[in-house]
Every structure is written in C-alpha cells, then in structure tokens.
Amino acid sequence: MASKPSIPKGTRDFSPAEVAKRQYIIQTIKKNFEKFGFQPIETPSFENSDTLMGKYGEEGDRLIFKILNSGDYLSKANATHIENKDSLKLTASISEKALRYDLTVPFARYVVQHQSEIEFPFKRYQIQPVWRADRPQKGRFREFFQCDADVVGSKSLWQEVELVQLYDTVFTALGLEGVTIKINNRKILSGIAEVIGASDKLIDFTVALDKLDKIGEDGVKKEMIEKGISEEAIAKVQPLFSFTGTITEKINQLSQLLSASVEGMKGVEELQFICEKVTQLGLATAQLDLDVTLARGLNYYTGAIFEIAPPKTVAMGSIGGGGRYDDLTGIFGLKNMSGVGISFGLDRIYLVIEELGLFPDTVAATSKALFVNYGETEAFVAMQTIQKLRAEGIKVELYPDAVKMGKQLQYADKRGIPFAVIIGAQEIESGKFALKNLVTGEQVVFDYEGLQRELER
C-alpha cells in the first residue's frame, strides 16, 4: 500500500480561500508600492552560493539551503574532504548554487550587476518567496514570502518620511487601524554606548536594553552587569528605563543625555527631522512612536530603524520592519551606495487581519453564481449568458453535469457560491433568469440587465 503523501516540514499548502486572502494583502501592498513610485523587480529563486554565503553571519550561513550540483556531483569532490567527513569544505565542491535566504542580498547583487542600466536613486519593490533551513515552529516557516521596498542611491531623510507614510497608507487600506510605527536610530544607540564608556559593549548593551518590556528594569540591569557593563555606566542611562512622553519630549531627553556624543547627536537630529515632518504631514490611522530600546539589525543598519507593532488588541510580534543602511552594495564592490528599506510581514499580517475579522466579504476565490445545468439545450443558453457576464468581469460558472438540482445547489453551498442562476424551459421562453440567493433562499426573476446588475453588487 502506497504511503500517504506529505510535504516537507516548514512548508504549507494553501486552500483557494487562503490564497484569495493572501492575494488581497499582496495586491494592496503592491498597489501602494507603485503609488509611491517603487518599481518591481524579480530575482532568481536560487543564486550562486558565493553570492549568499558569508553575508548573513555564521548562523545565517547554516540556514541557507544548498543545491547539489547536477549529475555525478561526487566525482569532482575532494577525496580528502569526503574521507575526513568535513561537510563544510565538501559542500563548496558539490554545491555551487543555493536558494535565496532573503531579498536584500539578491537586490544588492542586482544593483551592482545592473548599475549601468539603473537610474539612481533607484526605488524598487520585490514580492517573492525566500527559504531558510530553520527549525519550524508556530509562525516560523522554511518557505515564506517577503514584501520589500527599498530606495538605494540617496541619503535624503525624505525617503524615511515617505516610508513611514507608506506603512500608514498600506495598513489603512487593509483596515488595520491602530498600528504603531516604532522608530529609533543606530547612531543614538552608538551614542549611548559612547557616553557611558561602553562602546566596546554596544551589542551587549543594546541586546539587554531591547528586553526591557520582557524582563523589566532589574532584569536588564542584571544582564548588563553580567556582560561586563559597570554599575556606574548603567546609572548614566537611568532615564532610558522610564523613557516616556511625546516624541518631542523624548527627543529633548535624548539631546541632554547625548550632548557629549557627536555620533549620538547626529542620530537625534535625523530622528527629529523624520518625526517632525511626519507629524506635520500627518498619518491616517497609524501612530508614530520613538522607541529607544529598538535595536533590530544592529550589525546591519546605520541610521533609522523601523519596527511595526500590530493593534494593541492583538497578541502578535512585529508585522514589519526595516531601516537605513549606508553600504548595501559594498559587499559586492560598489562602495558608498546608501539605501533605506522596509518590509511587510505577509504571514503575520494575514493572522492579524484574520483575528480581527477584517477581510472583506468580497475577498473570495469562488464564483459569484453557479448556473444550474438542466440538459444540453438549457446549458447552451446558460453558456451564452455566462460568456456575456464574464466579458463584464463577473465570475460565474456552469455546473458541468445535468444531475439533480439538489446536488448542484449543495455543490454551490459547499463552494461558498452565494447565488444560483436557473434557466429552464420557462425561462428560455420568457427570456428571463431566476436568481436564487443561496444564503436567504429568496428567488427573484430578472431580465439580463437586471441579472448583471445583481451579480455586479
């Protein structure tokens, strides 16, 4: 007996209803990316291994899916590496390609490879799947989509202002009101570490500070001390543990705290510009908040850092994030190419919208009406009508077999099709159509124009 088929762990099948909802989110994001002037690009699902390896750190390298070379891949492998079971060195000789880990490194490769064809600043968006050989768990998959928008080739802070507006516009269009756009700046974190005399402990300091909402003030201080940060240094940043007030008040507190740090004050100035302009221009439904504990991508970002929190009524991690990086393309030899980008977390956004019941009723992967099949003559008239309705962009279909009407209506009900169109001998003679609402059971007779109007609603 054949074994039951399955899919690899960390991957998913999506039903028609799930795909329709995902496409609704993707199309909303895509529409607004283009509204803001971003152009679409696509890169291959797999890249040359040397494009990806060494770009994400040791942990990231381990999570890259390697692709075995075609044919007899062991014939050219180093015999010593095989004998010594040295998998790291062996992999390099039997695998020249790998599935992309994210969209950012392929984008950097794209910019360098096509620099003579690109008009800078280059505003690109990319919505494609990525793969990570991670341990699957709730909310973490080995195959998932990323929805990225980046501007490369400009250091202007107006780009950050626009990206905040883009977040607000997309979440407003999705009906997700009350989203919080958290903002910080890498230079501020560096400045704080400098002021307390712990520049060499920057990573340890910020990683601990980032846990403030999870382990509290005492827990953060304890972790800092364990990492070798002195109590005297910690005392200097005491204001950070009760960092409240409006954005203006927070910026004033930071100005006092970082007055002795050139790097820190540059970060304050950048934050002040972004926050002032966003506030003056206004946001539709999102809230902007300065979160000095925000430290995502510390090794990567060089300026503004963004993270998106869902509405407070939903228990969910961040649903988006991004930031400014001053040397994206430097890894491929093109220096001083500053960029800034953001990403939308498709899967988490889906879960939030689902939990809040915000998917519109119109988001469905099913037909608006099923035409009942009474036989060849009636089916031909139905098909003529279906042809006209489809030309008007209305999703309709004919049940393929002339079986009992009850079975056909049961099929429509299970498919979630809201209407049935009945064309029998009487309807053909009168040139009318009986439209049955499969939710209420109500049945009304229309001419073609009336039928079209009802199905267009």
Side-chain angles (χ1 to χ4, degrees), residues 26 34 37 146 196 364 378 398 442:
I26 289 171
E34 293 180 355
Q146 287 190 339
I196 67 173
E378 294 86 347
L398 172 73
E442 182 185 11

Side-chain angles (χ1 to χ4, degrees), residues 171 175-180 287 308-317 319 352-353 355-356 358:
F171 288 123
L176 265 180
E177 299 185 3
V179 161
T180 300
Q287 300 164 350
I308 311 303
K312 292 181 174 62
T313 54
V314 181
M316 180 72 67
I319 56 175
V352 172
I353 294 176
E355 184 173 330
L356 296 175
L358 296 175

Side-chain angles (χ1 to χ4, degrees), residues 369-443:
L370 177 75
F371 280 68
V372 176
N373 189 336
Y374 283 105
E376 186 176 340
T377 302
E378 294 86 347
F380 184 77
V381 175
M383 284 299 291
Q384 288 179 311
T385 310
I386 286 169
Q387 198 170 19
K388 289 169 67 177
L389 291 169
R390 285 175 177 166
E392 297 298 327
I394 302 170
K395 295 190 286 187
V396 288
E397 61 184 276
L398 172 73
Y399 192 85
D401 305 300
V403 296
K404 289 182 180 180
M405 182 176 175
K407 184 176 181 180
Q408 297 185 49
L409 296 184
Q410 187 180 45
Y411 170 81
D413 183 56
K414 287 183 176 178
R415 284 271 313 278
I417 298 174
F419 294 100
V421 179
I422 299 167
I423 306 176
Q426 185 178 336
E427 284 76 21
I428 292 175
E429 189 177 335
S430 64
K432 303 285 186 179
F433 305 88
L435 184 67
K436 185 178 182 67
N437 186 315
L438 299 179
V439 178
T440 65
E442 182 185 11
Q443 186 168 310

